[in-house]
Amino acid sequence: VTAMQHLTRDNFYHETAGSTLPVVVMFYASWCPKCAMMKPIVRNIEKDQKKLIRFFEVDVDESPELSAKYDTSTVPAFWFFQNGEPVGVMQGVISESTFLYRLKKIFRKS
C-alpha cells in the first residue's frame, strides 16, 4: 500500500520545489469525513501514477501557516505544483475518474 508522504512547514518547500515530477498535495484534517472519503481514491491514483506524479499530504491543523498560505478553508483541498509553482487546485469530494481527468488536464497545460 502506498502512502502519501506527510509534509509540514519544515519539508514542504523542499519537497514541492525540489521535485522534478509534478506534485499533488492533499490538504486534509483528521476530523474531516470528506477527507477520509478521498484518501483511498487519492491512494489509488497515486499507485497508478507514482512514476509520473508525486503525492503528498498536509494536515491543516498541524500546519496552519501552510493552510493559510494556500487558503484551505475547505478541506480536502488538492493543490497541484509544477517546478514548485502552483498550477491548479481542486476542493471537496471528487470521483476518481474526474480527479484523473483534471490531473492530466492541469499537468498537460503546465
Side-chain angles (χ1 to χ4, degrees), residues 43-55:
R43 286 199 180 112
N44 238 5
I45 294 169
E46 179 185 25
K47 211 170 23 194
D48 293 341
Q49 302 288 319
K50 68 176 173 242
K51 289 183 173 66
L52 307 169
I53 300 167
R54 294 187 69 197
F55 289 81

Side-chain angles (χ1 to χ4, degrees), residues 4-105:
M4 290 176 275
Q5 187 180 334
H6 193 73
L7 297 181
T8 62
R9 186 182 64 192
D10 298 335
N11 62 354
F12 184 88
Y13 298 102
H14 173 76
E15 292 294 345
T16 56
S19 177
T20 53
L21 295 174
V23 169
V24 176
V25 179
M26 176 180 179
F27 287 86
Y28 76 98
S30 55
W31 46 263
C32 163
K34 289 179 178 175
C35 300
M37 284 170 60
M38 283 306 297
K39 274 205 177 181
I41 292 171
V42 176
R43 286 199 180 112
N44 238 5
I45 294 169
E46 179 185 25
K47 211 170 23 194
D48 293 341
Q49 302 288 319
K50 68 176 173 242
K51 289 183 173 66
L52 307 169
I53 300 167
R54 294 187 69 197
F55 289 81
F56 298 100
E57 63 178 22
V58 171
D59 183 325
V60 295
D61 294 324
E62 181 185 284
S63 299
E65 59 292 305
L66 289 174
S67 179
K69 177 172 176 149
Y70 293 101
D71 185 25
T72 57
S73 45
T74 300
V75 285
F78 303 91
W79 278 81
F80 301 87
F81 295 88
Q82 188 99 44
N83 304 316
E85 294 299 314
V87 292
V89 65
M90 295 190 299
Q91 293 178 316
V93 176
I94 303 143
S95 73
E96 190 164 338
S97 57
T98 301
F99 197 105
L100 264 173
Y101 172 78
R102 291 189 188 163
L103 195 66
K104 289 175 177 161
K105 204 170 167 183

